[in-house]
Amino acid sequence: MRDRTHPTPKRLARSARPRSTNSRRYLAWIVLLAALLPVLLAWQGLVEQRQLIADRQFDLLSQEIREAIDERLHDHEQILLGGAGLFDASEAVSRQEWHTYVERLRLTENYPGILGVGYSQLVRPDQLAAHVAAVRAEGFPDYRLKPPGERALYTAIVYLEPFSGRNLAAFGYDMFSQEIRRAAMQAAVDTDATTISGKVRLVQETHGKEQAGFLMYVPIYRPGLPLDTAAERWAALRGFVYSPYRVDDLMAGILGKRSLAIDFRIYDGEGTDPDALMYDSAEQHDPNPSHTGLQRIQAYGRTWTLNLYSRPGFAAETDMATIWLVLGLGVGISLALFAVTRLLLDRRAQALALAEEMTARRQESEERFRSVFLHLGQGVVIHDAEGRILDANPAAQRILGATLEQMRELTSIDSLWQVVREDGRAFSTSDYPVIQALRLGAPVTGVVMGIRHARATPWRWVQVDAYPRRDASGVAVYQVYAVFTDITARRQAEFALRDQSQHTQAILDNVIDGIVTAGPDGTVTSFNPAAERIFGYTAAEVVGGNLSMLMPEPYRSGHNGYMSHHLRTGDERVIGVTRELKGRRKDGTVFPMELAVSRIERGGRPFFIGMIRDITERKQLERMKSELISTVSHELRTPVTSIRGALGLVVGRYAEALPEKVRAMLEMAERNSARLTLLIDDILDLEKIASGRMHFDLHPTDLAALARQAVEANEGYARQLQVQLSDHLELERAPVLADDNRMLQVFANLISNAVKYSPRGGEVQIGLRRHGQGFRALIRDQGPGIPESFKDHIFQRFAQADSSDTREKGGTGLGLSITKAILERHNGVIGYTSRQGGGTTFYFDLPEWTGGDADAPPPTSEDDSSHRSTS
């Protein structure tokens, strides 16, 4: 029963009403004061913020000016480095070449403010007269060095583009004669770096308003000389590539049409001495600027000081109307809040009804939460402030392997579960996510745990997020929600991937071939143990460096060009092809190797895998074999020739007197000795080509005339085998650079092969037509074609499709190998097309001769890997 001695809620409400009326009267005014206080504080904060914004704006503008100057100086350095590269790539750069280089830079459009780009030549006293005479011989009869006088060293300005206007005054000027310029030039050589001079008066100041000036220098050296020390660099010094600058013009080019709210002065050095003033952006400055600042630019060996000033009205750019608007709105809102508070206090009944409605909505929200809680795919466990389990949804019961009845009143650290970290170590009590969330009062997320129920066998891997809930005061934590995400399948996949990665790594570590991977810029990303053994580097020494460190010249210089060409054009002539080239070990020794390059895509970026095999021993064996074959062939030629001559003499003179069987045996011996002589000659030809001892008399000749001559020379052989030769020459004349005798040997080899493999009564066609930048010769037969299994061996030594061909057709199996070697020395390419049972067409391509140097040897196959036989 209800205790009637205690007042009911209605009675309490009536008794408290007079007191609440007085409370409401003061509460509204308290609300007004509470609202006005933050408004006033906010207004004061905006005033201070306005000053901070102005300070920050001044700093940003100052930084923008400094960075613009830094960037432009860097751009100008790149121009000079490009000019230095032009000199490094050539023994001599002509005045016209220098003019063309600078003209292509379009200085006025791309680099406004630069006065010119020049070359100052180093002249020693004993070279002075010859230097002056050489320049005058170029068409400058009045040329002389300025200023006159004897000095230990001269640096004469011989090139300066654009070569007009003010720049004409600098022609022949010795910059080394002036102290400030000389100091900068000496620093450039001593440090082997780009330098700029101090403030100077340029010799170009011949008219108009005089401006302060400075110069930027890049030293250039004679190629092939050591440059490790300053003394070596001075000994190898060739001169300087430089640019002169008028500072006012340079600043106008840097700043352009920017509308700045600040002015600045530039001083040479770390101080603000008026004599060191190089540039002033305004003729008059505000005597009391609101903002000032100093910036320093470390510019290639010099320090420039920027003294920056705000212009009049700079601080006024911040809109004060906004501050007063905030104050007005704040006061208005405070008054409105005062009125609303009065209204709300007068409508207490409505507030109570609203509270009841909110309570109902909260209950509805809790019911929805309960529904989600029960059906959520993730496990959710609710803990109290002591860490005991209050509730767990079905997903959590499934993941943890226990029912709610088994878990209730237990803690997450109970011995019911075995828990380990990702690395297999056990969790300490304080590291459990729920315990941490209770201790810290903050969420703990992303904790990965392995959990196994005491009565269950399999481990489950979960990711746990723990979220604390606070009571109405917002201070005490009264519950923790632990959310479990089952990641068992993902972890198993990770373990499988790790095992596969370890397996793959074991293969890479134990393979006998070197494996090197690199990114698109040539940076090495991996280097296996076999590669360490081959090159003598450790992986740590190579990874992060460029592939070119493993190459000698000329491969080192051409490597980046090959990579950029492939990435730009997609040309895959070196991708998927095994080729021979040279490698360079850590100790500097060069060795032969085989390289196969493949390309993969990873993360949308190309990567390259190189398989490397050291073939030093194989090359030594090949050389020994070649030497052996050469020696044996030379030793065999004399006795075989004698035997052949003796047999021919016997058969020729005494054939009639010999018994039939003896004569047949002697004729067979003579034929075999002739074939053996041909084989020895072919072997010697191959050996000479391989060793580079075969002479090639390259001169301009007509390939069409050689083709007609070859047809006439082989007609007799074709008639013996009852095969017709016919020419299908589409060109009357085909100029090439070639050795006539060797090209006739190529035609003879290909035509004789075609005749041998053509049927009796068949036809061999010899054609010539234009192909690309040169000519293509074709020899087409009606023979049986080349078997598919033999196509990869067609140009190898002693290669014949069927051993019976040797007996039936004759030949040594070296003709095509010799032909290919001869064509490669002519910068040519040989290939064929064949259809079994449908004949074969051999063709070779030679570049057209257009009047170049007939004495220059063509590149060999090692120099250009693109000249390959094709099938």
Side-chain angles (χ1 to χ4, degrees):
M1 296 181 59
R2 180 180 296 174
D3 187 357
R4 297 185 181 274
T5 61
H6 289 82
T8 64
K10 291 184 178 180
R11 291 175 180 174
L12 285 172
R14 291 193 195 100
S15 61
R17 189 170 297 166
R19 183 178 300 172
S20 64
T21 301
N22 294 330
S23 300
R24 289 198 301 272
R25 184 180 304 158
Y26 296 110
L27 183 59
W29 289 101
I30 293 173
V31 170
L32 177 61
L33 293 175
L36 285 175
L37 181 60
V39 169
L40 294 174
L41 292 175
W43 178 76
Q44 179 63 30
L46 286 174
V47 173
E48 296 174 357
Q49 185 68 19
R50 170 183 170 275
Q51 182 61 38
L52 289 175
I53 291 173
D55 293 344
R56 187 174 301 170
Q57 180 69 12
F58 181 83
D59 292 341
L60 288 174
L61 291 173
S62 301
Q63 185 71 10
E64 179 183 352
I65 292 172
R66 187 184 68 80
E67 291 177 354
I69 297 172
D70 265 338
E71 181 180 356
R72 180 57 59 85
L73 291 177
H74 176 73
D75 290 343
H76 289 179
E77 182 197 25
Q78 298 307 309
I79 295 173
L80 298 189
L81 292 176
L86 183 62
F87 276 92
D88 291 342
S90 175
E91 286 292 331
V93 176
S94 68
R95 188 176 303 277
Q96 181 58 40
E97 290 172 337
W98 186 256
H99 170 76
T100 302
Y101 167 73
V102 178
E103 187 176 55
R104 288 294 298 273
L105 294 175
R106 297 181 180 176
L107 298 178
T108 305
E109 300 174 24
N110 301 325
Y111 307 97
I114 188 171
L115 193 56
V117 181
Y119 165 55
S120 176
Q121 181 179 345
L122 182 74
V123 180
R124 304 188 185 279
D126 59 340
Q127 302 169 339
L128 182 58
H131 165 76
V132 173
V135 176
R136 289 179 176 177
E138 291 182 41
F140 303 97
D142 297 327
Y143 173 82
R144 59 186 179 83
L145 257 67
K146 301 175 290 187
E150 295 183 357
R151 292 180 286 277
L153 200 64
Y154 305 87
T155 57
I157 299 174
V158 292
Y159 300 161
L160 182 57
E161 296 291 339
F163 194 54
S164 60
R166 295 177 181 272
N167 284 340
L168 296 177
F171 186 43
Y173 179 65
D174 176 14
M175 293 185 286
F176 217 71
S177 65
Q178 199 272 327
E179 179 181 359
I180 296 177
R181 293 174 173 86
R182 182 170 61 252
M185 297 165 82
Q186 289 173 335
V189 178
D190 290 340
T191 62
D192 195 21
T194 303
T195 61
I196 63 175
S197 71
K199 176 183 176 182
V200 298
R201 181 184 183 278
L202 299 176
V203 295
Q204 286 93 330
E205 292 295 344
T206 58
H207 57 278
K209 178 183 175 182
E210 183 173 325
Q211 301 180 20
F214 69 97
L215 303 102
M216 180 180 288
Y217 296 98
V218 171
I220 55 177
Y221 307 98
R222 293 191 298 276
L225 296 178
L227 305 173
D228 297 328
T229 66
E232 290 175 341
R233 289 192 290 273
W234 277 106
L237 186 63
R238 188 175 181 179
F240 297 85
V241 177
Y242 84 106
S243 284
Y245 301 91
R246 304 178 80 216
V247 181
D248 289 4
D249 294 345
L250 177 63
M251 290 301 115
I254 293 174
L255 301 177
K257 298 181 179 180
R258 298 183 189 179
S259 179
L260 300 176
I262 63 176
D263 289 317
F264 63 99
R265 299 187 182 101
I266 300 178
Y267 295 88
D268 182 23
E270 296 188 353
T272 57
D273 185 355
D275 292 337
L277 179 65
M278 298 176 67
Y279 175 74
D280 194 341
S281 64
E283 295 183 0
Q284 291 185 350
H285 292 267
D286 187 351
N288 297 304
S290 60
H291 293 78
T292 61
L294 285 178
Q295 293 274 353
R296 286 189 170 83
I297 299 176
Q298 301 299 326
Y300 302 106
R302 298 293 301 178
T303 299
W304 287 357
T305 300
L306 272 66
N307 197 354
L308 303 111
Y309 306 84
S310 61
R311 291 181 177 175
F314 173 82
E317 290 183 3
T318 305
D319 190 6
M320 284 294 293
T322 302
I323 300 175
W324 290 108
L325 179 61
V326 169
L327 179 62
L329 287 175
V331 172
I333 292 172
S334 299
L335 293 173
L337 183 61
F338 171 75
V340 170
T341 303
R342 290 289 300 267
L343 182 62
L344 291 176
L345 290 174
D346 291 339
R347 296 184 178 182
R348 183 171 178 270
Q350 295 179 4
L352 292 174
L354 181 61
E356 292 176 358
E357 181 181 357
M358 291 177 64
T359 301
R361 290 180 179 177
R362 178 180 178 184
Q363 291 174 349
E364 181 182 0
S365 176
E366 290 178 350
E367 291 175 359
R368 291 178 180 174
F369 169 77
R370 187 67 183 174
S371 176
V372 173
F373 174 76
L374 294 175
H375 297 92
L376 188 66
Q378 292 175 295
V380 180
V381 178
I382 303 176
H383 301 257
D384 64 12
E386 302 299 325
R388 291 186 295 269
I389 296 176
L390 302 177
D391 200 356
N393 71 344
Q397 298 175 44
R398 173 179 52 81
I399 294 172
L400 298 177
T403 64
L404 178 60
E405 288 71 21
Q406 292 172 330
M407 291 189 288
R408 198 186 300 275
E409 296 301 321
L410 298 178
T411 65
S412 59
I413 61 175
D414 195 271
S415 60
L416 179 67
W417 296 283
Q418 292 178 310
V419 184
V420 295
R421 297 179 181 273
E422 291 184 89
D423 57 5
R425 294 182 296 115
F427 265 90
S428 64
T429 302
S430 60
D431 290 340
Y432 276 62
V434 171
I435 303 302
Q436 287 193 70
L438 286 170
R439 184 177 69 252
L440 302 174
V444 178
T445 60
V447 180
V448 177
M449 310 171 70
I451 298 179
R452 188 166 74 92
H453 187 268
R455 299 188 183 91
T457 302
W459 283 89
R460 308 290 293 185
W461 286 96
V462 295
Q463 179 174 301
V464 184
D465 301 325
Y467 301 96
R469 294 190 67 189
R470 301 182 183 276
D471 57 17
S473 66
V475 176
V477 175
Y478 76 97
Q479 282 184 351
V480 174
Y481 285 10
V483 181
F484 293 80
T485 302
D486 190 345
I487 60 171
T488 303
R490 189 184 79 187
R491 289 290 295 176
Q492 290 172 345
E494 290 175 354
F495 291 149
L497 182 61
R498 185 185 62 189
D499 292 343
Q500 180 62 37
S501 176
Q502 292 173 348
H503 177 70
T504 302
Q505 189 61 47
I507 294 174
L508 294 176
D509 290 344
N510 292 281
V511 71
I512 62 172
D513 289 335
I515 301 177
V516 182
T517 62
D521 58 352
T523 300
V524 177
T525 56
S526 70
F527 200 71
N528 77 334
E532 293 180 329
R533 292 192 298 272
I534 291 173
F535 288 98
Y537 288 100
T538 65
E541 292 175 307
V542 179
V543 172
N546 194 276
L547 277 173
S548 59
M549 68 187 294
L550 307 177
M551 305 175 185
E553 293 294 352
Y555 306 103
R556 181 194 298 264
S557 301
H559 169 256
N560 291 334
Y562 292 146
M563 294 284 284
S564 62
H565 174 74
H566 167 71
L567 294 173
R568 184 177 65 256
T569 66
D571 181 6
E572 295 189 353
R573 66 181 185 180
V574 297
I575 303 299
V577 177
T578 300
R579 60 188 183 126
E580 292 185 8
L581 67 161
K582 303 294 185 182
R584 182 179 181 274
R585 294 190 174 94
K586 181 179 180 180
D587 61 8
T589 58
V590 177
F591 66 98
M593 66 181 187
E594 278 186 348
L595 172 66
V597 180
S598 58
R599 170 176 169 164
I600 61 173
E601 298 287 334
R602 192 171 68 190
R605 298 180 64 213
F607 281 82
F608 299 91
I609 302 173
M611 301 286 292
I612 298 165
R613 177 169 295 174
D614 188 346
I615 58 173
T616 302
E617 293 184 2
R618 191 176 79 190
K619 285 295 184 180
Q620 291 173 347
L621 290 174
E622 290 178 354
R623 185 170 63 252
M624 293 170 62
K625 181 178 69 175
S626 297
E627 292 173 355
L628 176 62
I629 291 173
S630 175
T631 301
V632 171
S633 300
H634 278 288
E635 294 299 325
L636 285 176
R637 171 181 269 182
T638 300
V640 168
T641 302
S642 299
I643 293 171
R644 181 183 177 188
L647 289 172
L649 182 62
V650 171
V651 171
R653 290 188 179 183
Y654 307 106
E656 299 298 330
L658 294 172
E660 182 67 26
K661 189 173 182 179
V662 173
R663 185 173 64 250
M665 293 177 64
L666 289 174
E667 288 175 349
M668 181 177 67
E670 183 185 20
R671 287 195 303 271
N672 284 322
S673 63
R675 182 172 176 271
L676 185 56
T677 301
L678 178 62
L679 174 61
I680 292 172
D681 289 340
D682 285 348
I683 290 175
L684 290 175
D685 280 348
L686 276 177
E687 192 275 330
K688 287 180 181 179
I689 294 173
S691 62
R693 292 187 291 106
M694 177 173 281
H695 175 68
F696 285 84
D697 181 18
L698 299 179
H699 61 274
T701 188
D702 184 5
L703 187 62
L706 292 176
R708 286 189 286 268
Q709 185 178 346
V711 172
E712 294 175 0
N714 288 274
E715 280 183 344
Y717 177 68
R719 280 195 299 270
Q720 291 178 10
L721 299 182
Q722 299 180 20
V723 175
Q724 179 184 357
L725 295 184
S726 62
D727 67 74
H728 294 261
L729 307 181
E730 300 177 8
L731 304 172
E732 288 295 327
R733 187 171 180 274
V736 297
L737 191 68
D739 184 319
D740 291 358
N741 292 329
R742 298 304 175 189
M743 291 311 303
L744 288 174
Q745 184 179 355
V746 168
F747 274 114
N749 284 342
L750 296 178
I751 292 174
S752 63
N753 273 354
V755 169
K756 281 191 297 186
Y757 289 97
S758 291
R760 293 183 181 276
E763 180 186 21
V764 173
Q765 299 177 355
I766 293 88
L768 181 66
R769 64 173 182 240
R770 179 168 288 281
H771 180 76
Q773 300 298 318
F775 307 102
R776 171 166 287 186
L778 305 100
I779 296 86
R780 181 178 294 109
D781 64 44
Q782 297 174 342
I786 300 172
E788 189 67 31
S789 60
F790 186 67
K791 288 185 176 181
D792 292 339
H793 311 287
I794 191 70
F795 292 104
Q796 294 178 1
R797 298 182 182 184
F798 304 104
Q800 289 182 320
D802 187 346
S803 60
S804 64
D805 292 338
T806 306
R807 296 187 294 271
E808 180 182 350
K809 308 296 183 182
T812 64
L814 295 173
L816 288 178
S817 180
I818 293 173
T819 299
K820 177 177 179 289
I822 292 174
L823 287 171
E824 286 177 346
R825 292 297 301 273
H826 283 76
N827 200 18
V829 178
I830 186 171
Y832 68 93
T833 59
S834 179
R835 183 165 56 86
Q836 195 155 1
T840 301
T841 299
F842 275 89
Y843 61 85
F844 62 87
D845 300 334
L846 288 179
E848 180 178 13
W849 181 72
T850 57
D853 185 3
D855 296 327
T860 66
S861 58
E862 288 188 358
D863 299 326
D864 187 353
S865 61
S866 68
H867 303 312
R868 301 181 180 276
S869 311
T870 59
S871 58

